[in-house]
Structure formats: C-alpha cells, structure tokens
Amino acid sequence: MNPYEVLGLAEGASPEEITRAYKEKMAYFATADGDFTHQTAELDSAYDALMYNGQASYSAESTHSIKYGDIRAKMRQERYEDAETILDGIPSERRDAEWYYLKGKILHSRGWMEEAIDCYAKAVQYEPNNPEYAQAYESVKRNQSGEFRNDWRQSNDDSSGCTGSVCKLCTALACCDCLCSFFR
C-alpha cells in the first residue's frame, strides 16, 4: 500500500497537504451511508505512516457506527484534533446525540466547560435514557456548581461565614502558630 496513493497525493506532499487530504476523505466517509471500515482503516494507516512514521496504530470499535467508532478510536489515541475534524465534517442536520456527546468530550478535554455542558445537554435531550450521556452531563454540572468541594466541607455554618471542619482546621493552625511563636 502506497500511503500517498491512498490519500490521493503526489509523493513528497507537505504535512499540510497530507492533513487536508486525510480530513477531507475522513469527513466524506463520516457522512456517507454504508460500511467503510476498510477504507477508513486504510486512510488511518496511510496518514499514520506519513505523519508518524508508522508509530501510531488504529483499531475501530465494532459496537459503534463507522463514523463514531473511528472518532472514539482517535480520542482514545488522544488525537482530538483529528476526531474533531471528522465530527465537524458531519452536516448539522445529521448531528445526533452521539455527535453532541463526543463533541462535548473533546471540549471537556480542553477545559471548555460551558461549551461541553451545552453539548452534553443536547446529547441528553436527544437520548434521555442513555446513561453514558447522562453521567457525563451530571458530572460536569456537579463540578461547575462546586459540589465536588462538599466532600471536605460540612454545612454547619457559624455567624462568621466559616463552614465546619475548615474553620476548625484554620483555628487549630492559628493556635499552633501562636504557641510556637510564644515559646521561641
């Protein structure tokens, strides 16, 4: 297999040309109906051979449709830009719950929580009974609202605004500091 032929390029093409050809072909297969497992695997191999000297590997999940299995595989390899390129190549009228979930995961990996929450919310809206989508949405919402902090904080507020064990810890440390200073 000549990777340049698979990508439809002349030998010696620049990395930009290789990436552009790869993205265009993957976007086509992502939006086309049918089973393109062999073609997408061949494209991945050709791209990896040219860009990573064959060091990367590809494996598709058989449990998902071709476009999403390929995207999930890229995300497992931390090839988020490639995964996002394929996702963004899917026309907006064909974007479903899985699309929004995967886009949310990419945004979440970048720390873009507001955008991730919006995508996860749309995924849950499309498929409210999907536990994977619901768990991702709830997790990000919990973190955004600060609920992750409740593990070490108690709710017995005093009039100064301190909360439970944190205030007690600060008081104990301040007392220790005073005692250490006194005995010097």
Side-chain angles (χ1 to χ4, degrees):
M1 165 194 82
N2 180 336
Y4 290 104
E5 287 178 14
V6 171
L7 292 168
L9 297 168
E11 292 205 23
S14 70
E16 293 80 18
E17 293 171 317
I18 293 167
T19 301
R20 184 176 45 252
Y22 170 78
K23 288 177 179 183
E24 287 172 2
K25 289 184 181 285
M26 288 304 285
Y28 168 77
F29 289 124
T31 59
D33 290 329
D35 184 4
F36 298 104
T37 305
H38 177 72
Q39 290 90 338
T40 57
E42 196 172 55
L43 283 172
D44 275 331
S45 296
Y47 180 79
D48 290 343
L50 295 174
M51 298 297 285
Y52 303 111
N53 297 323
Q55 295 172 358
S57 64
Y58 170 82
S59 68
E61 283 183 14
S62 60
T63 58
H64 296 282
S65 67
I66 299 306
K67 60 185 171 189
Y68 297 129
D70 184 53
I71 292 166
R72 284 178 179 257
K74 287 183 183 352
M75 291 171 69
R76 279 193 307 278
Q77 297 168 356
E78 297 183 11
R79 292 172 57 182
Y80 295 109
E81 287 185 31
D82 295 339
E84 188 172 33
T85 297
I86 297 169
L87 274 176
D88 291 344
I90 297 172
S92 57
E93 64 273 2
R94 294 194 59 199
R95 295 176 181 176
D96 56 7
E98 180 83 352
W99 188 94
Y100 284 103
Y101 170 73
L102 293 174
K103 183 72 170 189
K105 284 188 68 82
I106 291 169
L107 295 168
H108 191 177
S109 74
R110 292 183 179 143
W112 298 351
M113 297 307 165
E114 292 295 324
E115 294 86 351
I117 287 172
D118 292 343
C119 285
Y120 288 149
K122 284 187 179 182
V124 170
Q125 182 182 2
Y126 281 123
E127 287 185 32
N129 296 326
N130 186 310
E132 184 180 29
Y133 304 163
Q135 181 181 11
Y137 176 71
E138 290 302 321
S139 174
V140 175
K141 284 295 281 184
R142 232 184 352 264
N143 288 344
Q144 184 187 40
S145 67
E147 288 182 33
F148 63 95
R149 295 184 193 109
N150 288 337
D151 293 340
W152 55 269
R153 201 169 47 183
Q154 295 178 3
S155 61
N156 54 342
D157 293 340
D158 64 15
S159 60
S160 68
C162 281
T163 54
S165 61
V166 173
C167 202
K168 291 175 188 173
L169 178 62
C170 288
T171 303
L173 289 173
C175 288
C176 288
D177 187 49
C178 287
L179 287 172
C180 288
S181 296
F182 178 73
F183 289 110
R184 282 187 191 163

